[in-house]
Amino acid sequence: MQIPREKWKNNFSEWFDNVIFKAEIYDYGRYPIKGMGVWMPYGFKIRQNVINIIRKFLDETGHEEVLFPLLIPEYLLRKESEHIKGFEGEVYWVTKGGEEDLDIRLALRPTSEVAITYMESLWIKSYKELPKKYYQIVSIFRYETKATRPMIRLREVTTFKEAHTLHVSYEDAERQVKEAIEIYKKIFDTLGIPYILSERPEWDRFAGAEHTYAFDTLMPDGRALQIGTVHHLGQHFTKALDYKIQKADGSLDYPYQTSYGISDRVIAVSIAVNGDDHGPILNPIIAPIKVVIIPIPAKTEEDNKRVENYCKELQEKLSSAGISAVVDSNKEKTPGEKFYYWEMKGVPLRIEIGLREVNNETITIKRRDTLESKIVKKDELIKTVNDLLSSLSEDLKKKAWDFFNSRIFYTNDVNEAKKILENRGGIIEVPWCGDNSCGLKIEEELNARVLGYPIDAKKTSDPCVICKKPSTNVLRVAKTY
C-alpha cells in the first residue's frame, strides 16, 4: 500500500508545523520569544541520535570537542571588520549586568571564528602542534528579520555544530576542506539526506572566507535548503588578531584556518525528507523507538492477559537485542487510534499482537513506509526485525534520492527556468560565463537565489544565459528558505 504524499508535497509548510507538534518533537510558536522553539523529549532523542552521528565522524577523524563561552566581547568581535560586517545586523547584544550598565557590550555568539582564534593564539605557538581540529555543538543567536520557521530559520539555533581547524599552510587548510566535505557526505549519506555540493559565488561567501562550499537539499515543496557549509578562511582571522606561529625554518607567520558548520536544519530534513500524509517516516538510525507493539484486545480478561504477556515478552527480546521497542498498553485507546498516533511519530516498524498470534506463536509486523504486513514465527523475531529495519532504511534513502534527482533541471533559457521554478520548484542549472555580474543578473531575472557552481566544472556548449559569451560552468539557482 502506498500512502498518499499530497499534503506532504503540496502543503509542506503546514504539514511540517503540524507533524513536529503532534508527534511531540518540537513546540514552536508558543514560547514567548519569536524564532525560538522547545525540543520535547521525543524530539530531543531524535536530535541526540543525529548529534551522535555527527560526533562519531568528527571524533574518528581527529577532531577534539571543546566548549566556549556564549558571550563574546564587542572589541574582540570587531577585530575582524569583514566578519562583523557580515553579521552586524543580526547580533544580539548584552548591555546590562543586573541594574548596572556594562563597560563593554557583550555579543551572544553568532558564530565563533574570532573567539576560537583568540584562544588558539594563547594555546598554539609552533608548527609542531599543527594541524589542530576543534569542534563544539552549541546554541548560536542571530537576530533573524525574515519570517522565522521552526528548525529552519531561527533566532536561536540550538544545535549548531561548528568545527574550526588551524594549519601551517594554505595547502594543508585546503586538504582539510576536502576532508570536511567527505565527512559531511558521510553524515548526510548515513542520515539518508540527498544533497548537491556547490561552491558559493564570490558575493555569497561566508564573511571572511576565501572559499565557501555548501551542501543544499530540497524540501518536499521544491525549495532548496542549505544543510552544511565548509569555509577556507585563509589567514583572515589570524591576521585580524595578529596571531603568528613559528614555522619549521624559524620564521613567524599567520596560520591558516578552516571552519564548517551544520545546524538544526539537518534534523528538520531528517524528519521531513521521508514523510507522507500520515506523518514522518524516521530512518531507523535516528528513530528513538524502532518498534512499537500494539496489543489487539481479546474477548475475555484471561485472553487479554495472555496477549499482554506475549507483548511484554517480545518487547524484552527486542530490548535485549539492542532494538528499542515499546508496548502501547493504553486501554483508553482503540488499536486504530494507536496506529494513527505511532504513524504520526514515524516509528519504523509496528508489531500487532492478538489472540491468533499468541495461539500460533507468530508475530505480525508492519512497515511504516508501505504498511506491508509480514507474519513470522516468534523465534524469527530478531532476524526479521533487523532485516526489515535495514531494508526500510535503504528504501527510504533510494526514494529520497529519486525524488531529489527528479527535481534537478538544466535549461539554457531564462523564461523556461522561470516557469520551472514557479510551477515545479527544484534546482535549475543554467550555462554561465563565470562573471559575477551575470550571476547577480540571473538571481534578479529568476527572482531566486544562486546556490553556486559545481566544484568540477560542468562544461556545456551553450553560451552564458545572460551575456551569450562562452560558458565556463553551470550556475545552480533555486527558490530557497
Side-chain angles (χ1 to χ4, degrees), residues 123-141:
W123 295 340
I124 301 161
K125 304 293 186 182
S126 166
Y127 75 95
K128 294 177 183 177
E129 301 168 82
L130 298 180
K132 272 289 181 187
K133 300 188 273 190
Y134 300 116
Y135 77 96
Q136 61 178 0
I137 301 173
V138 291
S139 283
I140 62 164
F141 294 82

Side-chain angles (χ1 to χ4, degrees), residues 23-87:
E24 300 166 316
I25 293 170
Y26 193 73
D27 195 334
Y28 185 80
R30 302 198 301 172
Y31 188 76
I33 300 178
K34 184 181 178 184
M36 298 185 183
V38 179
W39 288 99
M40 299 166 78
Y42 186 68
F44 190 85
K45 287 175 184 171
I46 296 171
R47 175 182 177 273
Q48 206 166 30
N49 289 340
V50 172
I51 287 173
N52 288 343
I53 290 166
I54 293 169
R55 274 201 175 100
K56 173 181 180 289
F57 287 112
L58 291 170
D59 291 346
E60 286 176 355
T61 47
H63 293 72
E64 298 176 285
E65 189 166 4
V66 294
L67 184 58
F68 271 66
L70 171 61
L71 297 173
I72 303 172
E74 182 177 15
Y75 72 83
L76 187 58
L77 200 60
R78 291 203 178 277
K79 286 228 175 189
E80 214 294 316
S81 58
E82 188 177 351
H83 178 69
I84 187 64
K85 189 177 178 184
F87 286 112

